[in-house]
Amino acid sequence: MNLSPDTWIMLVAIIAAVSCGLVGTWLVLRQNAMLGDAISHSVLPGLVLAFLISQSRDVLPMVIGAGVMGLGTAWLTEMLGRTGRLYRDAALGIVFTLLFAIGVILVSIYTGQIDLDQDCVLYGEIAYAPWDRIAVGSTDLGPRSFWILSGALLVVVLFSALFYHQLMVTSFDPALARAVGVNERFWHYALMTVVSLVIVAAFESVGAILVVAMLILPSATGKLISHRMRPLVVTAIVVAIVTAIGGVELADRVDGSIAGAMTVVGGVIFVLVAITSRLIQRHRQRHEYEAATTTQLQAPGDSAIRG
Amino acid sequence: MVEWWDLTYRFFSFSDAAVRLVVAGTMLLGAAAGGLGTFVYLQKRSLVGDALAHAALPGVGLAFLILGEKQFLPLVVGAAVTAWLGGLAVDAVTRYTRLKLDAALGMVLSVFFGFGILILTHIQKGGYADQSGLAHFIFGKAAAMSPGDVTAIGVITLLLAVTLMVGFRHFKLVVFDPGFAASLGLPIRIWQFALTTLVVMAVTIGLQAVGVVLIAALLITPAAAARQWTDRLAPMIGLATAFGSLSGLLGAYISFLAPALPTGPWVVVVVSSIFAVSLLLAPNRGIVWRLLEFWGHRRKVSRDHILKALYRHGMDRGNWTDYYPRRAIAELWSFRPGELRSALGQLVANGSLERSGDMFRLTSAGIASGERITRLHRLWEVYLSRYLDLPSDHLHRDAEAMEHVISPELEAQLTDLLEHPTHDPHAQPIPYERAKGEAKDQAS
């Protein structure tokens, strides 16, 4: 496909933001946002080991490595929490810092053999995306990361759509889920698998920490606007797209990292929406208050007193 | 091997000035973060440290942009300012929106960090002369610390320690019982704010040694490890401080052995190992300790079952003079083979059983123990039926569990409370003979 590099960058950024934003909606709803953060760190050793074992940058070993580490993080945190010997947030913090530290050590030991440096781990680089292309025969199909991220997006959409009810019931009412025979833990781990998959797909483009912004910001912004699922998801998608476009533009202006710029744009959008919704809310409350006091003061048949 | 020994000697003799510097820096940092982390851990705000650390990054970049050069103190001040703003942002989001702490932390962490990355990449591409070391703030580079840096770390650590000691009672109150603290008229938000400020200070001095990503581990892990060893606050702070500085020392040592390896991640690996050991081996709370206790109890249960079964058997026959073959004992209760063997061995060893070949019989001490277990079982059944009004077919299982754990003191209380019942709810006699005999023996 013959698109200009700038267009490809924009497309990759949008797809990365939307797939993270969609799967992140579940994380935010389940108050598991920091588990997303933890997994985004702890997939690192999985990726390094996948590189070392397969000696390639193929998608499959990377997805397996990241999936194992992502599930491992969720499982270890759960087990540590279950011992009842420490708080769950501390358990999460211990697990992911350790795994990330091991990842960094592995990177520095095998630094000559791995095409993966510490900077790339943290903030990736979308700007290189258009030049790493895949082709079938002599037909150029476009950038590799575009297809990887599209695949991830497809998985997220299918997962969310097919298992919408299971995810909803386990997110909002675990007791009801048990009563109707939906296995809460299974869906927790299934979601974590999909989260790991999306993270690894977005890893090359936006890096470990900025993927967290893309996971949380769109749906957090959506939650400011509505607590109903449909408007929330629609807002999340819109925010993700605007964030991606704005981020690419901003990075171009200041000559900096695209992923960093996307995060900043996402943060600014969140703050603007937060302030606006707060103002609207206050305005509405005042309106309702005035309306209420007015009617109260009006005695029947008495039109003289008006608030 | 010889080389390894040489390096180890060189490291621990601290004759090398560079080694002294790195060790002093990482140990001070570990101590400061570990001690302070105790409070953060107990407030269940462990991940706040992580968010604050990430929020420090843009401060480093901004300070550099403003000054145009790399000096430790201004960079640290810049880091502290944005980290502190990050703390305020977390509070604002949780207070003014319906988002929960986890989302607030995740957003602040990633947005501030992203902003930091944007500034750092801008600096990289902007051709500033002195910018090469800035990236060290992400992963930390202990070896890059100058004497001035370490002095600054020392001063700030001292400041932290003094503040914690002076405000200890207040911090303790705010952490454990904010409601009570408020009722005493303590300005909780100010003390909370002070605590956040202290965390910001600990985080910023850690930037250069371990970097923004891993400093969270130094706040969380030593405290979680220390918690396993004690239930009291002051010893917990002491232990966390010790664990933190020990990890700093060993982390520095490992990266000294292999200079290509970064210090920060090794500090984290060491402190995580200390945590794992604590979780497994700490007395009382440790998992191994608990397992040993559990197995010990299970062995006692098997012993009790043998004694009780032999006692009742003898009771039915009117005497306890006969020896029972092992197989007959196995049939009295559903023992597993190994369990039976070890329980019989223990009973012979503690003088409750006499052995003749592969045959066993109760000694008088064994008869007394068997009687006591039967008595406890039946007393407990009386108690349950009388005080909890349980029907008689619901009593046995509960009594079966309690008969192994009732202490002599509790037994005395129970007997008095129930006014020396003679029969249990199943109309079986409650045996006291040997208990009286024992009491007489003790009295004489």
Side-chain angles (χ1 to χ4, degrees):
Chain A
M1 283 192 276
N2 258 330
L3 296 172
S4 74
D6 286 347
T7 319
W8 278 124
I9 289 173
M10 191 69 89
L11 272 178
V12 169
I14 289 175
I15 298 175
V18 171
S19 38
C20 288
L22 276 181
V23 76
T25 309
W26 295 115
L27 287 180
V28 171
L29 283 179
R30 301 162 81 96
Q31 294 179 29
N32 267 336
M34 286 309 276
L35 193 50
D37 173 50
I39 291 180
S40 76
H41 286 75
S42 57
V43 294
L44 179 61
L47 291 185
V48 178
L49 290 176
F51 268 117
L52 287 175
I53 293 169
S54 72
Q55 295 291 335
S56 74
R57 288 179 57 191
D58 291 342
V59 181
L60 194 63
M62 272 171 55
V63 166
I64 294 173
V68 168
M69 283 300 157
L71 275 183
T73 307
W75 182 78
L76 265 177
T77 308
E78 178 100 11
M79 293 316 288
L80 278 182
R82 254 169 210 242
T83 61
R85 298 286 179 270
L86 71 165
Y87 298 128
R88 266 166 203 265
D89 65 327
L92 188 67
I94 292 171
V95 170
F96 89 79
T97 49
L98 174 63
L99 288 174
F100 190 72
I102 292 175
V104 175
I105 291 172
L106 285 174
V107 170
S108 60
I109 290 177
Y110 297 102
T111 192
Q113 300 166 39
I114 305 175
D115 183 17
L116 183 83
D117 62 15
Q118 295 182 348
D119 296 349
C120 155
V121 166
L122 282 174
Y123 44 93
E125 193 45 275
I126 297 188
Y128 300 147
W131 286 276
D132 184 7
R133 302 176 87 93
I134 51 171
V136 173
S138 57
T139 332
D140 176 33
L141 288 177
R144 210 170 76 102
S145 52
F146 171 79
W147 290 105
I148 295 176
L149 280 164
S150 302
L153 180 61
L154 186 69
V155 171
V156 173
V157 170
L158 285 180
F159 179 74
S160 303
L162 290 178
F163 307 117
Y164 181 77
H165 294 290
Q166 286 88 335
L167 289 168
M168 281 298 265
V169 74
T170 50
S171 302
F172 286 102
D173 200 340
L176 177 66
R178 273 192 295 278
V180 298
V182 176
N183 188 334
E184 197 193 336
R185 295 186 63 193
F186 172 80
W187 291 106
H188 177 69
Y189 287 120
L191 178 62
M192 291 312 143
T193 313
V194 176
V195 169
S196 317
L197 180 84
V198 173
I199 287 174
V200 72
F203 209 77
E204 278 183 285
S205 313
V206 295
I209 289 156
L210 304 178
V211 81
V212 184
M214 295 297 100
L215 283 171
I216 303 174
L217 279 173
S219 44
T221 313
K223 243 192 143 186
L224 293 176
I225 289 175
S226 174
H227 45 223
R228 296 209 339 273
M229 199 59 186
R230 192 175 304 215
L232 199 162
V233 169
V234 171
T235 322
I237 294 175
V238 172
V239 169
I241 294 174
V242 175
T243 302
I245 297 173
V248 174
E249 288 296 322
L250 176 64
D252 195 37
R253 295 275 163 78
V254 302
D255 195 16
S257 144
I258 293 175
M262 279 167 69
T263 320
V264 172
V265 172
V268 170
I269 293 176
F270 175 83
V271 172
L272 290 180
V273 173
I275 293 172
T276 316
S277 73
R278 181 113 187 122
L279 286 179
I280 291 174
Q281 205 182 354
R282 198 173 282 177
H283 179 74
R284 196 180 291 159
Q285 272 169 359
R286 187 177 301 155
H287 213 69
E288 279 166 10
Y289 175 75
E290 275 168 8
T293 44
T294 316
T295 38
Q296 268 170 16
L297 287 172
Q298 241 177 323
D302 181 6
S303 57
I305 308 170
R306 281 272 162 97
Chain B
M1 196 64 197
V2 174
E3 191 194 5
W4 173 78
W5 181 246
D6 268 5
L7 283 171
T8 306
Y9 178 76
R10 257 182 63 201
F11 182 83
F12 284 103
S13 63
F14 303 116
S15 52
D16 198 326
V19 169
R20 276 204 300 272
L21 210 57
V22 171
V23 167
T26 51
M27 283 185 74
L28 279 171
L29 171 65
L36 195 59
T38 311
F39 290 97
V40 186
Y41 172 84
L42 290 172
Q43 281 193 308
K44 302 188 197 171
R45 286 166 68 90
S46 289
L47 295 173
V48 173
D50 190 34
L52 294 184
H54 285 74
L57 188 64
V60 174
L62 285 175
F64 180 81
L65 272 186
I66 293 169
L67 289 172
E69 59 176 349
K70 210 175 61 208
Q71 280 181 335
F72 185 69
L73 214 58
L75 293 191
V76 162
V77 171
V81 169
T82 50
W84 192 72
L85 286 176
L88 291 185
V90 170
D91 285 346
V93 171
T94 45
R95 183 181 306 209
Y96 295 118
T97 74
R98 52 170 157 247
L99 292 161
K100 300 286 187 293
L101 183 63
D102 66 313
L105 288 176
M107 279 195 298
V108 167
L109 179 156
S110 52
V111 171
F112 275 71
F113 190 81
F115 184 45
I117 293 292
L118 186 64
I119 296 173
L120 287 192
T121 46
H122 171 76
I123 293 173
Q124 263 172 20
K125 291 176 185 171
Y128 292 84
D130 189 29
Q131 49 101 349
S132 63
L134 283 180
H136 289 160
F137 284 90
I138 297 175
F139 286 109
K141 185 158 184 160
M145 285 192 288
S146 74
D149 301 351
V150 176
T151 314
I153 292 177
V155 169
I156 295 179
T157 306
L158 197 67
L159 205 66
L160 282 177
V162 170
T163 317
L164 270 187
M165 270 183 227
V166 170
F168 183 73
R169 290 162 57 88
H170 294 111
F171 284 125
K172 189 175 173 181
L173 206 53
V174 169
V175 167
F176 281 106
D177 201 340
F180 180 59
S183 75
L184 289 180
L186 218 65
I188 299 191
R189 291 193 56 199
I190 291 181
W191 284 100
Q192 180 63 52
F193 185 72
L195 208 54
T196 307
T197 310
L198 293 183
V199 174
V200 165
M201 285 162 70
V203 161
T204 43
I205 58 172
L207 290 181
Q208 191 153 27
V210 295
V212 300
V213 186
L214 294 174
I215 183 78
L218 278 182
L219 281 167
I220 304 170
T221 318
R227 177 68 189 88
Q228 310 307 318
W229 300 86
T230 175
D231 289 332
R232 300 181 48 80
L233 182 60
M236 187 177 161
I237 296 174
L239 272 175
T241 310
F243 288 156
S245 40
L246 180 65
S247 332
L249 175 70
L250 293 180
Y253 166 63
I254 296 172
S255 69
F256 180 75
L257 287 183
L261 298 181
T263 314
W266 277 113
V267 175
V268 174
V269 170
V270 171
V271 77
S272 303
S273 315
I274 293 177
F275 166 76
V277 170
S278 307
L279 186 67
L280 290 175
L281 299 182
N284 288 322
R285 282 173 71 95
I287 290 172
V288 170
W289 183 278
R290 279 290 146 109
L291 276 179
L292 289 179
E293 224 167 48
F294 172 73
W295 287 329
H297 180 71
R298 219 165 60 175
R299 282 205 299 274
K300 179 177 178 342
V301 169
S302 321
R303 288 197 305 271
D304 285 359
H305 282 154
I306 295 175
L307 290 174
K308 191 171 70 169
L310 288 179
Y311 169 79
R312 286 202 192 157
H313 217 254
M315 198 72 193
D316 293 345
R317 297 164 50 118
N319 68 73
W320 291 278
T321 47
D322 290 342
Y323 281 93
Y324 291 81
R326 181 193 297 269
R327 205 183 312 141
I329 298 175
E331 280 164 10
L332 294 173
W333 196 266
S334 50
F335 293 107
R336 281 177 287 113
E339 190 186 12
L340 180 66
R341 191 177 337 110
S342 72
L344 285 173
Q346 288 157 26
L347 285 169
V348 171
N350 73 13
S352 303
L353 287 182
E354 281 177 291
R355 178 180 195 141
S356 163
D358 209 23
M359 314 260 278
F360 301 87
R361 74 169 181 191
L362 290 170
T363 62
S364 57
I367 298 171
S369 309
E371 185 198 276
R372 176 163 187 268
I373 297 156
T374 311
R375 184 168 66 242
L376 293 179
H377 182 102
R378 292 178 182 168
L379 273 176
W380 190 253
E381 288 192 336
V382 174
Y383 174 75
L384 285 182
S385 75
R386 208 181 284 174
Y387 282 88
L388 297 182
D389 280 333
L390 287 182
S392 59
D393 55 335
H394 281 58
L395 303 173
H396 181 74
R397 261 185 58 179
D398 199 41
E400 198 62 27
M402 287 301 289
E403 67 190 19
H404 310 291
V405 293
I406 294 177
S407 63
E409 294 79 20
L410 187 60
E411 182 194 347
Q413 279 186 14
L414 207 53
T415 323
D416 286 343
L417 178 73
L418 301 171
E419 291 157 335
H420 296 264
T422 54
H423 288 82
D424 74 4
H426 309 294
Q428 286 177 303
I430 300 179
Y432 293 103
E433 292 79 23
R434 263 151 283 264
K436 282 177 209 147
E438 276 168 27
K440 249 182 245 158
D441 287 350
Q442 280 169 6
S444 61

